[in-house]
Amino acid sequence: MPRVIWNGSISFGLVNIPVRMFVAVRDHDVRFHLLHARDGVRVHQKLFCPADGEELDHEDTVRGYETSPDTYVVVHQDELDALAPKASRNIEILDFVDIAEIDPVYYQHPYYLLPEERSAGPYALLVQALEDSGRVGIGKLVMRNKEYLAALRPVDGVICLETMRFADEVMPTGEMEKFELDREPTKRELSMAMQLIDTLSSSFDPEKYHDEYREAVMELIESKAEGQEVTMPEAFVEPGKVVDLMSALEESLARAREKKERAG
Amino acid sequence: MKERIPVEVDGLELELSNLDKVFYPQTGFTKAEVVDYYTRVSPVMLPHLAGRAVTLKRYPDGVNGEFFFEKECPAFHPDWVETTTVPSRNERGKVTSCVVENLATLVWLANLATLEFHTQLSRKAGEDRPDSLVFDLDPGPPADTLDAAWAALRLKEALADEGLECFPKTSGGKGMHVLVPLNTPLDFKRTKSFAHTMAQELEKTYPDRVTSVMRKELRKGKIFIDWSQNDPHKTTVCAYSLRAGTRPFVSAPVRWEELEEAQRRADAGALAFEAWEVLARVEDAGDLLDPVLKLKQSL
């Protein structure tokens, strides 16, 4: 069972629904650790000052914001704390908007919200109202000292909270490089493209797609963990007659000698 | 195309593959030459491997390619390869390592591109009973092999003051290893603290040239006397093992007189031995490190 990462409530108008928040996605990237190549010991990172080589603890450091190259404004933790958004345990829905209006580029990270025991009734009501209206709730919440914009949308009878990017974080397509078009597509070309789309149309089935690179890496790791030698598949020659070691080596040694002599 | 040649070694069957593959591009030293070297050096090398858990350093694509540092004996090993279970700091708390008891095992591992064989100091795997003590003398640039040889000679004098005989070998890189035969009941706690004290004493006597502290910034231009390898979890490169450097250099046993001579002539090259030189030396003088396996000394 996933862990609760936040407690609070959804509020809109006079309604208040206590909820618990869970992560909705798992990151499956293969993560490696850095080991010392010589003895396999996991390496540590050290902070040090390049000016005098002194090794530092975290307490010896302050945060600096680079205003121009090599020029920093130092900002202290208590100054940041004073600016932190007021701690709040409330997700206040400000607007309900048509789900089709939100471009997926704004969605950042999904979480699930589940009702507290006594709020199951109002929670189910909100889910159904969202489903029936085809709208999503847009609101703000504070999590880990940071203010987030969020969309609340129904997914399989559960409310999914998507943290969202603020408008100034999304690069407008207008800022992208322009491309030249010598003529508009013809009607005929367009209808051919439409036909092709028609024949390839299907419904989205996420199960169909896999991260094949990750699977290959995990397979490699598992076989190494079992102590298997990992080699790339190669053509296999039928084993010949068993010979003694020295006669097996002789031929290859002679070839190696010859090559070296030729090389000088 | 992969060529596999089934061979018989002392009545045991195994397969050799990719013999023409170049492992040391700078000199053109091939896998066949690696297998050939280990076969020829085996009479003097096997006694130093016997009984011990080995850690393998494998280079499937040669010295310039990716390498694997393996404590675990490959699971697909022939059933005649001896293994032993030793405590480890991994999650399972133990690891099954290869034990090289015979030529066939040595050849089989060489064919798996094992260039370096690293061994534990206790002759019976997993036991707290080091049968020798090792000092790894590692020069921090710009200090070099000659500085390491100088420090080895000073260490020899200090050990002689304690009534102990010791024997040198090259690391196969820039360093020197000094081995003190024990072959008496001692545990790692004792050998490690003794080694640490000796390293500190030398540091006190020659503060400008020697350090007993691992920290890189303190090693600059000095010889770091690594005493910490006297530990049940650690391994040191075995005598006669190849090293994965630019050329097929070997961690080679040497005579004290050779260290003095190299010093006198300021000739670091006199302390670097490639595989073929080591074979000639063994033919001449046998195993210079034989006493390390036999001489009984106590601390």
Side-chain angles (χ1 to χ4, degrees), chain B:
Chain B
M1 197 155 49
K2 197 167 188 169
E3 180 198 14
R4 286 165 187 267
I5 307 169
V7 295
E8 198 184 295
V9 180
D10 295 340
L12 301 170
E13 266 185 42
L14 60 124
E15 273 184 347
L16 300 180
S17 56
N18 293 328
L19 288 173
D20 292 342
K21 193 161 183 171
V22 173
F23 274 18
Y24 292 80
Q26 195 176 335
T27 67
F29 202 74
T30 64
K31 189 169 168 189
E33 287 170 289
V34 171
V35 175
D36 181 55
Y37 166 73
Y38 277 122
T39 306
R40 290 177 194 275
V41 87
S42 66
V44 289
M45 187 180 185
L46 284 173
H48 293 279
L49 288 164
R52 295 170 210 273
V54 296
T55 298
L56 314 169
K57 219 166 159 188
R58 301 202 295 117
Y59 291 77
D61 293 313
V63 294
N64 294 335
E66 195 190 353
F67 70 87
F68 302 94
F69 200 86
E70 295 181 340
K71 281 189 187 296
E72 184 91 25
C73 189
F76 56 91
H77 63 76
D79 53 11
W80 42 260
V81 168
E82 302 249 353
T83 60
T84 181
T85 305
V86 290
S88 160
R89 285 184 273 220
N90 66 9
E91 300 94 72
R92 285 183 298 136
K94 58 184 186 192
V95 61
T96 304
S97 298
C98 301
V99 181
V100 186
E101 291 288 0
N102 51 38
L103 175 59
T105 306
L106 189 61
V107 169
W108 177 69
L109 288 170
N111 184 60
L112 290 181
T114 309
L115 293 181
E116 298 190 2
F117 292 82
H118 295 245
T119 48
Q120 298 198 326
L121 287 170
S122 51
R123 195 173 306 180
K124 192 143 175 289
E127 276 195 352
D128 186 8
R129 175 70 82 83
D131 64 351
S132 64
L133 192 148
V134 64
F135 294 93
D136 180 356
L137 279 51
D138 188 13
D144 67 0
T145 310
L146 290 175
D147 297 294
W150 171 86
L153 287 161
R154 300 296 81 77
L155 182 58
K156 176 193 176 238
E157 291 162 5
L159 287 164
D161 288 344
E162 301 285 326
L164 291 168
E165 248 193 280
C166 59
F167 299 84
K169 70 179 171 80
T170 65
S171 71
K174 293 209 178 306
M176 297 291 309
H177 296 157
V178 173
L179 305 168
V180 183
L182 299 172
N183 302 303
T184 48
L186 287 166
D187 58 17
F188 279 108
K189 205 172 147 231
R190 180 83 185 89
T191 58
K192 195 176 191 170
S193 73
F194 178 83
H196 193 181
T197 309
M198 290 302 293
Q200 285 174 325
E201 263 177 36
L202 232 63
E203 179 183 48
K204 236 182 275 165
T205 318
Y206 307 102
D208 298 338
R209 299 190 69 178
V210 167
T211 175
S212 65
V213 186
M214 172 101 57
R215 279 175 56 185
K216 274 256 152 67
E217 62 269 28
L218 298 181
R219 288 158 69 170
K220 210 172 150 207
K222 291 186 188 175
I223 302 301
F224 167 48
I225 301 189
D226 187 354
W227 46 272
S228 69
Q229 292 186 19
N230 297 287
D231 185 288
H233 291 285
K234 297 231 172 138
T235 56
T236 305
V237 71
C238 186
Y240 302 105
S241 171
L242 287 164
R243 297 311 298 268
T246 49
R247 304 174 71 88
F249 287 121
V250 171
S251 178
V254 279
R255 290 192 178 88
W256 287 114
E257 304 85 76
E258 290 178 288
L259 297 193
E260 284 160 5
E261 177 70 12
Q263 283 262 291
R264 229 181 349 260
R265 293 177 15 221
D267 181 6
L271 295 175
F273 303 100
E274 288 192 28
W276 63 272
E277 292 170 285
V278 169
L279 291 172
R281 288 165 63 86
V282 168
E283 191 139 322
D284 249 22
D287 181 14
L288 295 173
L289 287 184
D290 188 52
V292 173
L293 297 171
K294 293 177 181 150
L295 183 63
K296 288 190 186 344
Q297 302 190 106
S298 199
L299 301 178

